[in-house]
Structures are given as structure tokens and as C-alpha cells.
Coordinates of all heavy atoms in Angstrom, one line a residue:
M1 N -56.5 44.8 12.3 CA -55.7 46.0 12.7 C -56.6 47.2 12.6 O -57.3 47.4 11.6 CB -54.5 46.2 11.9 CG -53.7 47.4 12.2 SD -52.4 47.9 11.1 CE -51.6 46.4 10.6
V2 N -56.7 48.0 13.6 CA -57.5 49.2 13.6 C -56.5 50.4 13.7 O -55.6 50.4 14.6 CB -58.5 49.3 14.7 CG1 -59.2 50.6 14.8 CG2 -59.4 48.1 14.6
I3 N -56.6 51.3 12.8 CA -55.8 52.5 12.8 C -56.7 53.7 13.2 O -57.7 53.9 12.6 CB -55.1 52.8 11.5 CG1 -54.2 51.6 11.2 CG2 -54.3 54.1 11.5 CD1 -53.6 51.7 9.8
T4 N -56.3 54.4 14.3 CA -57.1 55.5 14.7 C -56.2 56.8 14.7 O -55.0 56.7 14.9 CB -57.7 55.3 16.1 OG1 -56.7 55.1 17.0 CG2 -58.7 54.2 16.1
G5 N -56.8 57.9 14.5 CA -56.0 59.1 14.6 C -56.9 60.3 14.3 O -58.1 60.2 14.1
E6 N -56.4 61.5 14.4 CA -57.1 62.7 14.1 C -56.5 63.4 12.9 O -55.3 63.6 12.9 CB -57.1 63.6 15.4 CG -58.0 64.8 15.3 CD -58.0 65.6 16.6 OE1 -57.9 64.9 17.6 OE2 -58.1 66.8 16.5
Y7 N -57.3 63.8 12.0 CA -56.8 64.5 10.8 C -57.6 65.8 10.7 O -58.8 65.8 10.7 CB -57.1 63.6 9.6 CG -56.9 64.2 8.3 CD1 -55.6 64.6 7.9 CD2 -57.9 64.4 7.4 CE1 -55.4 65.2 6.7 CE2 -57.7 65.0 6.1 CZ -56.4 65.4 5.8 OH -56.2 66.0 4.6
R8 N -56.8 66.8 10.6 CA -57.4 68.2 10.5 C -57.0 68.8 9.1 O -55.8 69.2 9.0 CB -56.8 69.1 11.6 CG -57.3 68.6 13.0 CD -56.8 69.5 14.0 NE -56.4 68.7 15.2 CZ -55.7 69.1 16.2 NH1 -55.2 70.4 16.1 NH2 -55.4 68.4 17.2
P9 N -57.9 68.8 8.2 CA -57.5 69.4 6.9 C -57.3 70.9 7.0 O -57.8 71.5 7.9 CB -58.7 69.1 6.0 CG -59.7 68.4 6.9 CD -59.2 68.3 8.2
P10 N -56.7 71.6 6.1 CA -56.2 71.1 4.8 C -54.9 70.4 4.9 O -54.3 70.6 6.0 CB -56.1 72.4 4.0 CG -55.9 73.5 4.9 CD -56.5 73.0 6.2
P11 N -54.4 69.8 4.0 CA -55.0 69.5 2.7 C -56.1 68.5 2.8 O -56.1 67.7 3.7 CB -53.8 69.0 1.8 CG -52.9 68.3 2.8 CD -53.0 69.1 4.1
Y12 N -57.0 68.5 1.9 CA -58.1 67.6 1.9 C -57.7 66.3 1.2 O -57.6 66.2 0.0 CB -59.4 68.2 1.2 CG -59.9 69.3 2.1 CD1 -59.5 70.7 1.8 CD2 -60.7 69.1 3.1 CE1 -60.0 71.7 2.6 CE2 -61.2 70.1 3.9 CZ -60.8 71.4 3.7 OH -61.3 72.5 4.4
L13 N -57.4 65.3 2.0 CA -56.9 64.0 1.5 C -57.8 62.9 2.0 O -58.4 63.0 3.1 CB -55.5 63.7 1.9 CG -54.4 64.8 1.5 CD1 -53.1 64.4 2.2 CD2 -54.3 64.8 0.0
D14 N -57.9 61.8 1.2 CA -58.7 60.7 1.6 C -57.8 59.7 2.4 O -57.0 58.9 1.9 CB -59.3 60.0 0.4 CG -60.3 58.9 0.8 OD1 -60.3 58.5 2.0 OD2 -61.0 58.4 -0.1
M15 N -57.8 59.9 3.8 CA -56.8 59.1 4.6 C -57.1 57.6 4.5 O -56.1 56.9 4.6 CB -56.9 59.6 6.1 CG -56.5 61.0 6.3 SD -54.8 61.3 5.7 CE -53.8 60.4 6.8
D16 N -58.3 57.2 4.3 CA -58.6 55.7 4.2 C -57.8 55.2 3.0 O -57.1 54.1 3.1 CB -60.1 55.5 3.9 CG -60.9 55.6 5.2 OD1 -60.3 55.7 6.3 OD2 -62.1 55.6 5.1
V17 N -57.8 55.9 1.9 CA -57.1 55.4 0.7 C -55.6 55.4 0.9 O -54.9 54.5 0.6 CB -57.5 56.2 -0.5 CG1 -56.6 55.9 -1.7 CG2 -58.9 56.0 -0.8
I18 N -55.1 56.5 1.6 CA -53.6 56.6 1.8 C -53.1 55.4 2.7 O -52.1 54.8 2.4 CB -53.3 58.0 2.4 CG1 -53.5 59.0 1.4 CG2 -51.8 58.0 2.9 CD1 -53.4 60.4 1.9
I19 N -53.9 55.2 3.8 CA -53.5 54.1 4.7 C -53.6 52.7 4.0 O -52.7 51.9 4.1 CB -54.3 54.2 6.0 CG1 -54.0 55.4 6.8 CG2 -54.1 52.9 6.9 CD1 -54.9 55.8 7.9
E20 N -54.7 52.5 3.3 CA -54.9 51.3 2.6 C -53.8 51.0 1.6 O -53.2 49.9 1.6 CB -56.3 51.3 1.9 CG -56.7 50.1 1.2 CD -58.0 50.2 0.5 OE1 -58.8 51.1 0.9 OE2 -58.3 49.4 -0.4
D21 N -53.5 52.0 0.8 CA -52.4 51.8 -0.2 C -51.0 51.6 0.5 O -50.2 50.8 0.0 CB -52.3 53.1 -1.1 CG -53.4 53.2 -2.0 OD1 -54.2 52.2 -2.2 OD2 -53.6 54.3 -2.6
S22 N -50.8 52.2 1.6 CA -49.5 52.1 2.3 C -49.3 50.6 2.8 O -48.3 50.0 2.7 CB -49.4 53.0 3.5 OG -49.4 54.4 3.0
I23 N -50.4 50.1 3.4 CA -50.3 48.7 3.9 C -50.2 47.7 2.8 O -49.4 46.8 2.8 CB -51.6 48.4 4.8 CG1 -51.5 49.2 6.1 CG2 -51.7 46.9 5.1 CD1 -52.8 49.2 6.9
N24 N -51.0 47.9 1.7 CA -51.0 47.0 0.6 C -49.6 47.0 -0.1 O -49.2 46.0 -0.6 CB -52.1 47.3 -0.4 CG -53.4 46.9 0.2 OD1 -53.5 46.1 1.2 ND2 -54.5 47.5 -0.3
R25 N -49.0 48.2 -0.2 CA -47.6 48.2 -0.8 C -46.6 47.4 0.0 O -45.7 46.9 -0.6 CB -47.2 49.7 -1.0 CG -47.6 50.3 -2.3 CD -46.8 51.6 -2.5 NE -46.9 52.5 -1.5 CZ -47.8 53.5 -1.4 NH1 -48.7 53.6 -2.4 NH2 -47.9 54.3 -0.4
A26 N -46.7 47.4 1.3 CA -45.7 46.8 2.1 C -46.3 45.4 2.7 O -45.7 44.9 3.7 CB -45.4 47.7 3.3
S27 N -47.3 44.8 2.1 CA -47.9 43.6 2.6 C -46.9 42.5 2.7 O -46.9 41.7 3.7 CB -49.1 43.2 1.8 OG -48.8 42.8 0.5
A28 N -46.0 42.3 1.8 CA -45.0 41.2 1.8 C -44.1 41.4 3.0 O -43.7 40.5 3.7 CB -44.2 41.2 0.5
D29 N -43.7 42.7 3.3 CA -42.9 42.9 4.5 C -43.6 42.6 5.8 O -43.0 42.1 6.7 CB -42.4 44.4 4.5 CG -41.5 44.8 3.3 OD1 -40.9 43.9 2.8 OD2 -41.5 46.0 2.9
V30 N -44.9 43.0 5.8 CA -45.7 42.7 7.1 C -45.8 41.2 7.3 O -45.6 40.7 8.4 CB -47.1 43.4 7.0 CG1 -47.9 43.0 8.2 CG2 -46.9 44.9 6.9
V31 N -46.1 40.5 6.2 CA -46.2 39.0 6.3 C -44.9 38.4 6.8 O -44.8 37.6 7.7 CB -46.7 38.4 5.0 CG1 -46.5 36.9 5.0 CG2 -48.1 38.8 4.7
G32 N -43.8 38.9 6.2 CA -42.4 38.4 6.6 C -42.2 38.7 8.1 O -41.6 37.8 8.8
D33 N -42.5 39.9 8.5 CA -42.3 40.2 9.9 C -43.2 39.4 10.8 O -42.7 38.9 11.9 CB -42.7 41.7 10.1 CG -42.2 42.2 11.4 OD1 -41.1 41.9 11.9 OD2 -43.1 43.0 12.0
L34 N -44.4 39.1 10.5 CA -45.3 38.2 11.3 C -44.6 36.8 11.4 O -44.6 36.3 12.5 CB -46.7 38.1 10.7 CG -47.5 39.4 10.8 CD1 -48.8 39.2 10.0 CD2 -47.9 39.7 12.3
R35 N -44.2 36.3 10.3 CA -43.6 35.0 10.3 C -42.3 34.9 11.2 O -42.1 34.0 12.0 CB -43.3 34.5 8.9 CG -44.5 34.2 8.1 CD -44.0 33.7 6.7 NE -45.2 33.4 5.9 CZ -45.1 33.2 4.6 NH1 -44.0 33.3 3.9 NH2 -46.2 32.9 3.9
E36 N -41.5 35.9 11.0 CA -40.2 36.0 11.7 C -40.5 36.1 13.2 O -39.9 35.4 14.0 CB -39.4 37.2 11.3 CG -38.1 37.3 12.0 CD -37.4 38.6 11.6 OE1 -37.5 39.0 10.4 OE2 -36.6 39.2 12.4
R37 N -41.4 37.0 13.6 CA -41.7 37.1 15.1 C -42.3 35.8 15.6 O -42.1 35.5 16.8 CB -42.6 38.3 15.3 CG -41.9 39.6 15.1 CD -42.9 40.8 15.1 NE -42.3 42.0 14.7 CZ -42.3 43.1 15.5 NH1 -42.8 43.0 16.7 NH2 -41.7 44.2 15.1
G38 N -43.2 35.2 14.8 CA -43.7 33.9 15.3 C -42.7 32.9 15.5 O -42.7 32.2 16.5
Q39 N -41.7 32.8 14.6 CA -40.7 31.8 14.7 C -39.8 32.1 15.9 O -39.4 31.1 16.7 CB -39.8 31.8 13.4 CG -40.5 31.1 12.2 CD -39.7 31.3 11.0 OE1 -38.7 32.0 10.9 NE2 -40.1 30.6 9.9
R40 N -39.5 33.3 16.1 CA -38.7 33.7 17.3 C -39.4 33.4 18.6 O -38.7 33.0 19.6 CB -38.3 35.2 17.3 CG -37.2 35.5 16.3 CD -36.7 36.9 16.6 NE -37.7 37.9 16.8 CZ -37.8 39.0 16.1 NH1 -37.0 39.3 15.1 NH2 -38.7 39.9 16.4
S41 N -40.7 33.4 18.6 CA -41.4 33.1 19.8 C -41.7 31.6 20.0 O -42.3 31.2 20.9 CB -42.7 33.9 19.9 OG -43.7 33.4 19.0
G42 N -41.3 30.8 19.0 CA -41.6 29.4 19.0 C -42.9 29.0 18.5 O -43.4 27.8 18.7
S43 N -43.7 29.9 17.8 CA -45.0 29.6 17.4 C -45.0 29.4 15.8 O -44.3 30.2 15.1 CB -46.0 30.7 17.8 OG -47.2 30.5 17.2
S44 N -45.8 28.5 15.3 CA -45.9 28.3 13.9 C -47.2 28.9 13.4 O -47.5 28.7 12.2 CB -45.8 26.8 13.5 OG -46.9 26.1 14.2
Y45 N -47.8 29.7 14.2 CA -49.2 30.2 13.8 C -49.2 31.0 12.5 O -50.1 30.9 11.7 CB -49.7 31.1 15.0 CG -51.1 31.6 14.8 CD1 -52.2 30.7 14.9 CD2 -51.3 32.9 14.4 CE1 -53.5 31.2 14.7 CE2 -52.6 33.4 14.3 CZ -53.7 32.5 14.4 OH -55.0 32.9 14.2
F46 N -48.2 31.9 12.3 CA -48.2 32.7 11.1 C -47.5 32.1 9.9 O -47.5 32.8 8.9 CB -47.5 34.1 11.5 CG -48.3 34.9 12.4 CD1 -47.9 35.1 13.7 CD2 -49.5 35.5 12.1 CE1 -48.6 35.8 14.7 CE2 -50.2 36.3 12.9 CZ -49.8 36.4 14.2
E47 N -47.0 30.9 10.0 CA -46.3 30.3 8.9 C -47.3 30.1 7.7 O -46.8 30.1 6.5 CB -45.7 29.0 9.3 CG -44.5 29.2 10.2 CD -43.8 27.9 10.6 OE1 -44.2 26.8 10.0 OE2 -42.9 27.9 11.4
R48 N -48.5 29.9 8.0 CA -49.5 29.7 6.9 C -50.0 31.0 6.2 O -50.7 30.9 5.2 CB -50.7 28.9 7.4 CG -50.3 27.5 7.9 CD -51.5 26.8 8.5 NE -52.0 27.6 9.7 CZ -53.1 27.3 10.3 NH1 -53.9 26.4 9.9 NH2 -53.4 28.0 11.3
V49 N -49.6 32.1 6.8 CA -50.1 33.4 6.2 C -49.3 33.6 4.8 O -48.1 33.5 4.8 CB -49.8 34.6 7.1 CG1 -50.1 35.9 6.4 CG2 -50.5 34.4 8.4
E50 N -50.1 33.8 3.8 CA -49.5 33.9 2.4 C -49.6 35.3 1.9 O -48.8 35.8 1.1 CB -50.2 33.0 1.5 CG -50.0 31.5 1.8 CD -50.8 30.6 0.8 OE1 -51.4 31.1 -0.1 OE2 -50.7 29.4 1.1
D51 N -50.6 36.1 2.3 CA -50.8 37.4 1.8 C -51.6 38.2 2.8 O -52.3 37.7 3.7 CB -51.6 37.3 0.5 CG -51.6 38.6 -0.3 OD1 -50.7 39.4 -0.1 OD2 -52.6 38.8 -1.1
L52 N -51.5 39.5 2.7 CA -52.2 40.5 3.6 C -52.7 41.6 2.7 O -51.9 42.2 1.9 CB -51.2 41.0 4.6 CG -51.7 42.0 5.6 CD1 -52.6 41.4 6.6 CD2 -50.6 42.8 6.2
R53 N -53.9 42.0 2.9 CA -54.5 43.1 2.1 C -55.3 44.0 3.1 O -56.0 43.4 3.9 CB -55.4 42.6 1.0 CG -54.7 42.0 -0.1 CD -53.9 43.0 -1.0 NE -52.9 42.3 -1.8 CZ -51.7 42.7 -2.0 NH1 -51.4 43.9 -1.5 NH2 -50.9 42.0 -2.7
A54 N -55.3 45.2 2.9 CA -56.1 46.2 3.7 C -57.2 46.7 2.8 O -57.0 46.9 1.6 CB -55.2 47.3 4.2
T55 N -58.3 47.0 3.4 CA -59.5 47.6 2.7 C -60.1 48.5 3.7 O -60.2 48.3 4.9 CB -60.5 46.5 2.2 OG1 -61.5 47.2 1.4 CG2 -61.1 45.7 3.3
S56 N -60.6 49.6 3.2 CA -61.2 50.6 4.1 C -62.6 50.0 4.6 O -63.2 49.2 4.0 CB -61.5 51.9 3.4 OG -62.4 51.7 2.3
K57 N -63.0 50.5 5.7 CA -64.2 50.0 6.4 C -65.4 50.2 5.4 O -66.3 49.3 5.4 CB -64.4 50.7 7.7 CG -65.6 50.2 8.5 CD -65.7 50.9 9.8 CE -66.9 50.4 10.6 NZ -67.1 51.0 11.9
G58 N -65.4 51.3 4.7 CA -66.5 51.6 3.9 C -66.7 50.6 2.7 O -67.8 50.5 2.2
T59 N -65.6 50.0 2.3 CA -65.7 49.1 1.1 C -65.6 47.6 1.5 O -65.7 46.7 0.7 CB -64.5 49.3 0.1 OG1 -63.3 49.1 0.8 CG2 -64.6 50.7 -0.4
A60 N -65.5 47.3 2.8 CA -65.5 45.9 3.3 C -66.9 45.3 3.2 O -67.9 46.0 3.4 CB -65.0 45.9 4.7
T61 N -66.9 44.0 2.9 CA -68.1 43.3 2.9 C -68.3 42.5 4.2 O -67.4 41.9 4.6 CB -68.1 42.2 1.7 OG1 -67.8 42.9 0.5 CG2 -69.3 41.4 1.6
N62 N -69.4 42.7 4.8 CA -69.7 41.9 6.0 C -69.7 40.4 5.7 O -70.2 40.0 4.7 CB -71.0 42.4 6.6 CG -71.0 43.8 7.2 OD1 -70.0 44.2 7.6 ND2 -72.1 44.4 7.1
R63 N -69.2 39.7 6.7 CA -69.2 38.2 6.5 C -70.6 37.7 6.6 O -71.4 38.2 7.4 CB -68.3 37.6 7.6 CG -66.9 37.8 7.4 CD -66.1 37.1 8.5 NE -64.7 37.3 8.3 CZ -63.8 36.7 8.9 NH1 -64.1 35.7 9.8 NH2 -62.5 36.9 8.7
P64 N -70.9 36.8 5.7 CA -72.3 36.2 5.8 C -72.4 35.5 7.2 O -71.5 34.9 7.6 CB -72.4 35.3 4.6 CG -71.0 35.1 4.1 CD -70.2 36.2 4.7
T65 N -73.6 35.5 7.7 CA -73.9 34.7 8.9 C -74.9 33.7 8.6 O -75.8 33.9 7.8 CB -74.4 35.7 10.0 OG1 -75.6 36.3 9.6 CG2 -73.3 36.7 10.4
S66 N -74.8 32.6 9.3 CA -75.8 31.5 9.1 C -77.1 31.8 9.9 O -77.0 32.3 11.0 CB -75.2 30.1 9.4 OG -74.8 30.1 10.8
T67 N -78.2 31.4 9.3 CA -79.4 31.5 10.0 C -79.6 30.4 11.0 O -79.3 29.2 10.6 CB -80.6 31.5 9.0 OG1 -80.3 32.5 8.0 CG2 -81.9 31.7 9.6
P68 N -80.1 30.6 12.2 CA -80.3 29.5 13.1 C -81.3 28.4 12.4 O -82.2 28.8 11.7 CB -81.0 30.1 14.3 CG -80.7 31.6 14.2 CD -80.5 31.9 12.7
T69 N -81.0 27.2 12.7 CA -81.7 26.1 12.1 C -82.9 25.7 12.9 O -83.8 24.9 12.4 CB -80.8 24.9 11.8 OG1 -80.2 24.5 13.0 CG2 -79.8 25.2 10.8
G70 N -83.0 26.1 14.1 CA -84.1 25.6 15.0 C -84.3 26.6 16.1 O -83.5 27.5 16.3
S71 N -85.3 26.3 16.9 CA -85.5 27.1 18.1 C -84.5 26.8 19.2 O -84.0 25.7 19.3 CB -86.9 26.8 18.6 OG -87.9 27.2 17.7
P72 N -84.2 27.8 20.0 CA -83.2 27.5 21.1 C -83.8 26.5 22.0 O -85.0 26.4 22.2 CB -83.1 28.9 21.8 CG -83.6 29.9 20.8 CD -84.6 29.2 19.9
T73 N -82.9 25.7 22.7 CA -83.4 24.8 23.7 C -83.3 25.3 25.0 O -82.4 26.2 25.3 CB -82.6 23.5 23.6 OG1 -81.2 23.8 23.8 CG2 -82.7 22.8 22.2
L74 N -84.1 24.9 25.9 CA -84.1 25.4 27.3 C -83.1 24.6 28.2 O -82.7 25.0 29.2 CB -85.5 25.3 27.9 CG -86.5 26.2 27.3 CD1 -87.9 26.0 27.9 CD2 -86.1 27.7 27.3
E75 N -82.7 23.4 27.7 CA -81.8 22.5 28.4 C -80.7 22.0 27.4 O -81.0 22.0 26.2 CB -82.5 21.3 29.0 CG -83.6 21.7 30.0 CD -84.4 20.5 30.5 OE1 -84.0 19.4 30.2 OE2 -85.3 20.7 31.3
P76 N -79.6 21.6 28.0 CA -78.6 21.0 27.1 C -79.1 19.9 26.2 O -79.9 19.1 26.7 CB -77.5 20.6 28.0 CG -77.7 21.3 29.3 CD -79.2 21.6 29.3
S77 N -78.7 19.7 25.0 CA -79.2 18.7 24.2 C -78.4 17.4 24.4 O -78.9 16.3 24.0 CB -79.1 19.1 22.7 OG -77.8 19.5 22.4
N78 N -77.2 17.4 25.0 CA -76.4 16.2 25.3 C -76.0 16.3 26.7 O -75.9 17.3 27.3 CB -75.2 16.2 24.3 CG -75.6 16.0 22.9 OD1 -76.6 15.2 22.6 ND2 -74.9 16.6 22.0
S79 N -75.6 15.1 27.2 CA -75.0 15.1 28.6 C -73.6 15.6 28.5 O -72.9 15.4 27.5 CB -75.0 13.6 29.1 OG -76.3 13.2 29.2
P80 N -73.1 16.2 29.6 CA -71.7 16.7 29.6 C -70.7 15.5 29.5 O -71.0 14.4 30.0 CB -71.6 17.4 30.9 CG -73.0 17.7 31.4 CD -73.9 16.6 30.7
T81 N -69.6 15.8 28.9 CA -68.5 14.7 28.8 C -67.3 15.3 29.4 O -67.1 16.5 29.4 CB -68.3 14.3 27.4 OG1 -67.9 15.4 26.6 CG2 -69.6 13.7 26.7
P82 N -66.3 14.5 29.9 CA -65.1 15.0 30.4 C -64.1 15.5 29.3 O -63.2 16.2 29.6 CB -64.5 13.8 31.1 CG -65.1 12.6 30.5 CD -66.5 13.0 30.0
A83 N -64.3 15.1 28.1 CA -63.4 15.5 27.0 C -64.1 16.6 26.1 O -65.3 16.6 25.9 CB -63.2 14.2 26.1
P84 N -63.3 17.5 25.6 CA -63.9 18.5 24.7 C -64.4 17.9 23.4 O -63.9 16.9 23.0 CB -62.7 19.5 24.5 CG -61.5 18.7 24.8 CD -61.8 17.6 25.8
S85 N -65.4 18.6 22.8 CA -66.0 18.1 21.6 C -65.0 18.3 20.4 O -65.2 17.7 19.4 CB -67.3 18.8 21.4 OG -67.2 20.1 21.3
I86 N -64.2 19.3 20.5 CA -63.2 19.6 19.4 C -61.8 19.7 20.1 O -61.7 20.1 21.2 CB -63.5 20.9 18.6 CG1 -63.5 22.1 19.5 CG2 -64.9 20.7 17.9 CD1 -63.6 23.4 18.8
P87 N -60.8 19.4 19.3 CA -59.4 19.5 19.9 C -59.1 21.0 20.1 O -59.5 21.8 19.4 CB -58.5 18.9 18.9 CG -59.3 18.8 17.6 CD -60.8 18.8 18.0
P88 N -58.3 21.3 21.2 CA -57.9 22.7 21.4 C -57.0 23.2 20.3 O -56.3 22.4 19.7 CB -57.2 22.6 22.8 CG -56.9 21.2 23.0 CD -57.8 20.4 22.2
T89 N -57.0 24.5 20.1 CA -56.1 25.1 19.2 C -54.8 25.6 19.8 O -54.8 25.7 21.1 CB -56.8 26.3 18.4 OG1 -57.0 27.3 19.4 CG2 -58.0 25.8 17.7
R90 N -53.8 25.8 19.1 CA -52.6 26.3 19.6 C -52.3 27.8 19.2 O -51.2 28.2 19.0 CB -51.4 25.4 19.2 CG -51.6 24.0 19.6 CD -50.5 23.1 19.1 NE -49.3 23.5 19.7 CZ -48.5 22.8 20.5 NH1 -48.9 21.6 20.8 NH2 -47.4 23.2 20.9
A91 N -53.4 28.5 18.9 CA -53.3 29.8 18.3 C -52.6 30.8 19.2 O -52.0 31.8 18.7 CB -54.7 30.3 18.0
F92 N -52.7 30.7 20.5 CA -52.1 31.8 21.4 C -50.9 31.3 22.1 O -50.6 31.8 23.2 CB -53.2 32.2 22.4 CG -54.4 32.8 21.7 CD1 -55.6 32.1 21.5 CD2 -54.3 34.1 21.1 CE1 -56.7 32.7 20.9 CE2 -55.4 34.6 20.4 CZ -56.5 33.9 20.3
E93 N -50.1 30.5 21.6 CA -48.9 30.1 22.2 C -47.8 31.1 22.0 O -47.7 31.8 21.0 CB -48.4 28.7 21.7 CG -49.3 27.6 22.2 CD -48.8 26.3 21.7 OE1 -47.8 26.2 21.0 OE2 -49.4 25.3 22.2

């Protein structure tokens, strides 16, 4: 979730902290709302959500990325197949 807005002080407040605290205080309500809306739409996608926490962009840790293991290939490494290599997900139902 991205929250954007314009803040013109005074008062001089740390809006990141205020927004972060507000979301974290109501995280159980947000999780419940996500589950309820998912159920009403016939999707089980949010049933596995257990918790929700907000953190300001300045304190977030970038996800580690894996280093490529080899040089890129100029051609496909395998022949195409009619079936997908992994089963499709149902995330956007």
C-alpha cells in the first residue's frame, strides 16, 4: 500500500510515524476486512494472512536478490512444451 499526500507544517510532525502507528494499531481490523472481502468475492486468497505490519520506507530493508549463476544464453536452453513448467496460481480470482 502506498499512501501519498501533501503535508504543510506547522505543526512539525513525523507523518511517517503517525501513519505507520495508525496502520499497526488497526492491523487486526485490516486483516479481518481483507478476509471478509475475499470470502464475499469467492476467493480464498486472503485466508492465509495472519498479520499485517506497516513500516516507513526509510526503515524498510530491501529484499535480498540472488546473484545470477551463469552467463545469459542467446537461445532457449530447452525445447518449448505445450504444458506450463509450473502450475498456474489462483491469486487474481
Side-chain angles (χ1 to χ4, degrees):
M1 174 187 324
V2 175
I3 298 174
T4 59
E6 187 174 327
Y7 172 62
R8 295 182 217 164
Y12 293 95
L13 302 172
D14 189 345
M15 294 305 289
D16 284 349
V17 171
I18 293 171
I19 293 168
E20 183 180 340
D21 288 347
S22 298
I23 291 171
N24 289 340
R25 269 196 304 270
S27 65
D29 295 336
V30 174
V31 169
D33 190 45
L34 288 172
R35 288 180 179 168
E36 179 184 329
R37 289 172 187 239
Q39 288 172 351
R40 283 196 314 238
S41 71
S43 173
S44 60
Y45 185 75
F46 292 107
E47 288 180 10
R48 296 179 296 170
V49 176
E50 296 177 4
D51 193 23
L52 175 79
R53 293 284 163 219
T55 184
S56 65
K57 184 177 179 180
T59 60
T61 302
N62 291 330
R63 291 183 177 191
T65 58
S66 58
T67 304
T69 55
S71 299
T73 59
L74 299 176
E75 297 178 7
S77 54
N78 294 323
S79 298
T81 62
S85 58
I86 60 171
T89 64
R90 302 175 64 114
F92 298 105
E93 290 184 354

